[in-house]
Amino acid sequence: MERRKFLSKTGKILGLSSTLSALLLQGCDMFPWSEDTDPLKGDGTDTGLDITNDIKDLKEAMFYKSLNENRVKCQVCFRECVIKPSERGFCRNRENKEGKLYNIVYGRPSAVQIDPVEKEPQHHFMPGSYIFCVGTAGCNYRCKYCHNYQLSQQSIDDLRYEKLLPEDLVEQALEQNVAAISFTYNEPTSLYEYMYDTAKLAQEHEIGVMFHSNGSMSTEPLKKLLKYVDSTTIDLKGFEDNFYQDISQAELSPVLDTLKTIVDAGVWLEIVNLMVTDLNDDPEVVKDMCTWIKEELGEDIPLHFTRFTPSYKMTDTSPTPVERLEKAREIAIDCGLRFVTIGNVPGHQYNSTYCPECHQSLIKRDHFSVHEINLEDGKCENCGLDIPGVWSI
């Protein structure tokens, strides 16, 4: 307990041990998935690859239903893919082997790195601390602007990976003395069993657990997982169905359900809205989103408006004008949200968190760096207001 308080104040820089340096991607463009797969159902695709031939090396999925003709229905996310034998679901990470569904990325991360917690972003979780970040191949979205597409839009067959089981991740987290293990970089729903087993084990060792998700996990697996999670970051990519459909081949309503489930479970939640130029930055839509957050989730949920920069299939779209982010923040504050920041604009005043009562700086940041923490036992040092968050584990 005390070492975590120490970490949150010092922000000590950590490095991975010589036995586990950060994993690099091969950069392979080979993409065995058909983009013609139904984006909302994901009927599976025969890869023709044999990486999963040995069933004993795989982890059976926790949430699926057996169907006739050895087909299975995955039930971990809103897509509920119906998968034929030897095929995989839309996320590329769940394969039907002889009528049973397996997680084929279990214990096979393709990205492992220590990052500042602010990079998630998490602004009310042990500021200045470091987290042990884990990602694999695969995602159940197809975001056109994804910055991590080298991971999320690939299959495990195309990437370099390391064999690291949950006990290995926990051992490394203890060795590196980090505040938490975070499942991030790609969509953690697609590696559910890996995250779940790690979270249970981490809790036994008093290591924090967090994940950064698109919010598409089905309610039953989400509730089961949240018992072992300390904090979540959820992307609320927009507030219109057509935006989700056009940009991510996804749906809005499952995300709203996820946000309410997390709040109801009492797990710390922060929301990210990546504001894309001329696509989800309409002030009226922003107002509707902020009003919904205030009314359905509460005024204390931190909201991060993040600047879009060109990436992946949207390199011709201009970066978000900073004044639109500032206008969005103003709208959010007017709607009654108390903790609203601006991200991906290094040095901006509202990289920092301010007390909603006395307006003094609570946590002074420059991008991912914390320069000053004016909190004492979760209270504003200036006026004594209780500030919600996870300040120790």
Side-chain angles (χ1 to χ4, degrees):
M1 302 289 278
E2 291 305 312
R3 74 180 176 88
R4 301 196 189 289
K5 290 181 180 179
F6 171 77
L7 277 171
S8 70
K9 286 291 185 182
T10 62
K12 181 180 178 183
I13 296 176
L14 303 171
L16 289 171
S17 68
S18 60
T19 59
L20 184 63
S21 57
L23 293 170
L24 302 175
L25 306 182
Q26 286 181 322
C28 178
D29 291 328
M30 195 262 285
F31 197 90
W33 247 257
S34 168
E35 288 299 295
D36 294 330
T37 303
D38 182 344
L40 294 182
K41 296 299 180 185
D43 294 322
T45 303
D46 190 345
T47 67
L49 301 172
D50 61 2
I51 193 171
T52 63
N53 268 356
D54 197 344
I55 289 180
K56 70 178 176 61
D57 288 337
L58 304 180
K59 180 75 171 183
E60 187 173 357
M62 294 170 62
F63 294 92
Y64 74 96
K65 181 180 180 180
S66 298
L67 304 176
N68 60 1
E69 299 178 342
N70 269 353
R71 297 177 306 149
V72 297
K73 177 187 280 189
C74 181
Q75 296 177 311
V76 78
C77 89
F78 76 104
R79 293 190 187 278
E80 296 199 328
C81 297
V82 174
I83 309 170
K84 297 176 183 178
S86 301
E87 294 186 353
R88 299 181 192 171
F90 188 82
C91 69
R92 310 182 182 96
N93 285 353
R94 313 180 84 73
E95 181 169 330
N96 181 343
K97 302 286 285 186
E98 302 174 1
K100 291 186 176 182
L101 187 63
Y102 291 92
N103 177 338
I104 65 172
V105 296
Y106 188 97
R108 292 172 167 176
S110 293
V112 177
Q113 182 169 303
I114 290 178
D115 280 332
V117 71
E118 286 72 24
K119 194 174 179 180
E120 275 304 297
Q122 276 281 322
H123 284 176
H124 289 233
F125 182 98
M126 299 179 65
S129 64
Y130 281 74
I131 55 177
F132 188 87
C133 298
V134 182
T136 72
C139 183
N140 61 349
Y141 276 22
R142 296 291 184 268
C143 299
K144 295 177 181 178
Y145 52 60
C146 183
H147 284 261
N148 292 330
Y149 66 91
Q150 300 98 330
L151 280 173
S152 68
Q153 302 307 310
Q154 297 280 11
S155 73
I156 187 66
D157 314 271
D158 307 326
L159 297 179
R160 176 185 172 190
Y161 62 84
E162 188 82 10
K163 190 70 172 180
L164 291 169
L165 295 174
E167 53 266 34
D168 299 317
L169 298 182
V170 170
E171 180 182 355
Q172 282 293 326
L174 288 169
E175 182 178 318
Q176 299 302 324
N177 203 30
V178 294
I181 298 172
S182 177
F183 289 89
T184 184
Y185 303 137
N186 72 310
E187 175 48 44
T189 301
S190 68
L191 52 101
Y192 180 87
E193 293 77 15
Y194 189 28
M195 174 170 54
Y196 178 81
D197 286 352
T198 303
K200 284 188 69 176
L201 188 59
Q203 188 180 81
E204 293 175 10
H205 292 273
E206 296 186 350
I207 301 169
V209 173
M210 61 176 61
F211 64 87
H212 187 155
S213 170
N214 58 31
S216 63
M217 195 180 299
S218 295
T219 301
E220 185 180 355
L222 178 60
K223 286 182 176 179
K224 190 175 183 69
L225 173 66
L226 289 174
K227 297 174 184 177
Y228 307 102
V229 170
D230 298 281
S231 185
T232 61
T233 301
I234 302 296
D235 294 327
L236 183 53
K237 297 177 184 292
F239 209 65
E240 294 181 303
D241 289 320
N242 61 351
F243 178 84
Y244 265 84
Q245 196 83 353
D246 295 343
I247 298 301
S248 301
Q249 297 184 10
E251 298 175 357
L252 171 60
S253 60
V255 183
L256 303 183
D257 290 342
T258 287
L259 293 170
K260 289 189 283 189
T261 298
I262 293 170
V263 170
D264 288 345
V267 175
W268 184 248
L269 166 69
E270 303 198 16
I271 296 174
V272 177
N273 176 247
L274 178 65
M275 187 159 282
V276 186
T277 309
D278 296 332
L279 292 179
N280 65 345
D281 55 0
D282 181 273
E284 288 303 313
V285 176
V286 172
K287 182 178 179 180
D288 289 344
M289 180 181 71
C290 294
T291 299
W292 184 90
I293 293 171
K294 167 72 182 307
E295 293 178 350
E296 297 292 334
L297 307 179
E299 64 185 9
D300 289 334
I301 303 296
L303 174 60
H304 310 258
F305 287 112
T306 304
R307 190 185 196 194
F308 164 84
T309 54
S311 180
Y312 193 32
K313 297 181 179 180
M314 292 182 63
T315 56
D316 292 334
T317 303
S318 300
T320 320
V322 174
E323 56 268 23
R324 295 192 192 181
L325 297 165
E326 293 170 337
K327 177 62 176 177
R329 184 185 182 277
E330 180 182 318
I331 291 170
I333 295 295
D334 287 345
C335 286
L337 299 182
R338 303 206 302 166
F339 303 102
V340 187
T341 54
I342 291 175
N344 282 353
V345 187
H348 195 281
Q349 175 185 0
Y350 293 115
N351 289 172
S352 299
T353 297
Y354 293 86
C355 177
E357 185 69 28
C358 69
H359 307 296
Q360 294 298 306
S361 170
L362 294 171
I363 307 165
K364 187 175 181 181
R365 303 181 193 86
D366 183 348
H367 205 29
F368 304 138
S369 299
V370 173
H371 298 292
E372 193 175 282
I373 301 174
N374 298 311
L375 290 166
E376 187 63 40
D377 296 325
K379 299 178 185 293
C380 172
E381 286 186 342
N382 184 61
C383 71
L385 182 71
D386 279 319
I387 306 299
V390 180
W391 311 117
S392 64
I393 296 177

